[in-house]
Amino acid sequence: MKKLLCLIPMLIMTGCQSSSAREFEQVQAEILESIQKTNSDQTSTYTNIAPYSEFSQSVKPVVIDGVLDLTNLSNVMMEAQIYEMIYFGDMYNGQQIKVHGTYQDYEYLNGEIDRVIFMADGLGCCEMGMLLLWEDEMPEEFPAFDATVEVVGTFYRTVEDHMIYCHIEVESLNLL
C-alpha cells in the first residue's frame, strides 16, 4: 500500500510535467515557424543583389604611382580601410595616401591651431579624423570650415601611453 501511495503522486507529477512540456514545445514550434516565414519573406526581397565578387574589384583601394588612393572607395569601405590603417599602422606607416573628406580646424586657447580632415562613415553618424601636418611650408590660405577637400600625403601612426595617434604629412590639399 505504501508503494502505491508513493507511485500515485509520481504519476500525477509526471503527467503535469509532460502536458506543460508539450505546450512549451508547441509554442516553441509556432515561434520557430513564424521566424522561418519572416526570414523567407526577407530573403525573396534581396534576390536581386549582386554577389560580392562583382563588387570586389570596385571596392579595393588602388595604388597608383606608390600612392594608396582611397578616393574610389565608398564611405563604408573607406572607413574600414582607415580603421585598418589606424589599428595595423605598422603596415601603413610611411605610406603615401590620397583621401577626401571634410576639412576642419580647431583653435586652442593658447593660439595653436589643429587642422584635420574628417571622413564620414556610411550612415553619416560617425567620423574618423586625421591630423594634417606640413613638413615644409604651410599654405597661406586654408579652406573654409567643413569644405570638402582632397589630401595627398604620407600617413604616420604612433602609439604613446597606450594611445594611438595618426596624422598625414600633407603634400597637397585641394578643394573639391
Side-chain angles (χ1 to χ4, degrees):
M1 182 74 166
K2 286 185 182 183
K3 289 183 183 180
L4 184 58
L5 288 176
C6 290
L7 187 58
I8 291 175
M10 290 175 69
L11 289 174
I12 292 172
M13 289 183 355
T14 306
C16 291
Q17 287 178 346
S18 64
S19 76
S20 65
R22 277 182 286 210
E23 288 174 16
F24 175 76
E25 288 174 4
Q26 184 179 4
V27 169
Q28 190 176 23
E30 289 173 9
I31 291 171
L32 184 59
E33 183 180 323
S34 173
I35 291 171
Q36 288 172 342
K37 182 181 181 316
T38 302
N39 287 343
S40 68
D41 291 346
Q42 288 177 352
T43 303
S44 64
T45 305
Y46 300 114
T47 55
N48 295 329
I49 293 178
Y52 171 77
S53 61
E54 290 183 29
F55 293 109
S56 63
Q57 294 303 315
S58 64
V59 295
K60 292 181 181 175
V62 178
V63 178
I64 302 172
D65 295 328
V67 177
L68 182 64
D69 187 355
L70 305 180
T71 59
N72 65 330
L73 301 178
S74 69
N75 288 354
V76 173
M77 291 305 295
M78 183 165 45
E79 178 187 21
Q81 181 65 45
I82 291 171
Y83 179 88
E84 180 176 302
M85 292 170 67
I86 291 170
Y87 288 96
F88 302 103
D90 294 338
M91 297 181 340
Y92 295 96
N93 240 359
Q95 171 72 50
Q96 283 193 304
I97 65 169
K98 180 179 180 183
V99 65
H100 57 79
T102 305
Y103 172 83
Q104 295 182 6
D105 52 29
Y106 298 93
E107 186 171 355
Y108 296 98
L109 293 175
N110 64 5
E112 217 177 285
I113 298 174
D114 277 345
R115 302 177 193 290
V116 181
I117 184 168
F118 281 102
M119 290 76 54
D121 70 341
L123 298 175
C125 68
C126 309
E127 294 180 315
M128 298 178 88
M130 284 195 226
L131 186 63
L132 302 175
L133 300 175
W134 282 260
E135 187 175 304
D136 298 328
E137 203 170 305
M138 290 177 61
E140 291 180 20
E141 291 186 29
F142 289 93
F145 193 84
D146 276 344
T148 303
V149 296
E150 179 180 88
V151 174
V152 176
T154 307
F155 173 81
Y156 290 101
R157 173 190 164 260
T158 57
V159 179
E160 296 174 16
D161 297 325
H162 305 291
M163 295 291 293
I164 298 172
Y165 299 96
C166 58
H167 70 274
I168 300 173
E169 284 188 8
V170 179
E171 294 173 15
S172 69
L173 173 70
N174 301 309
L175 277 171
L176 294 180

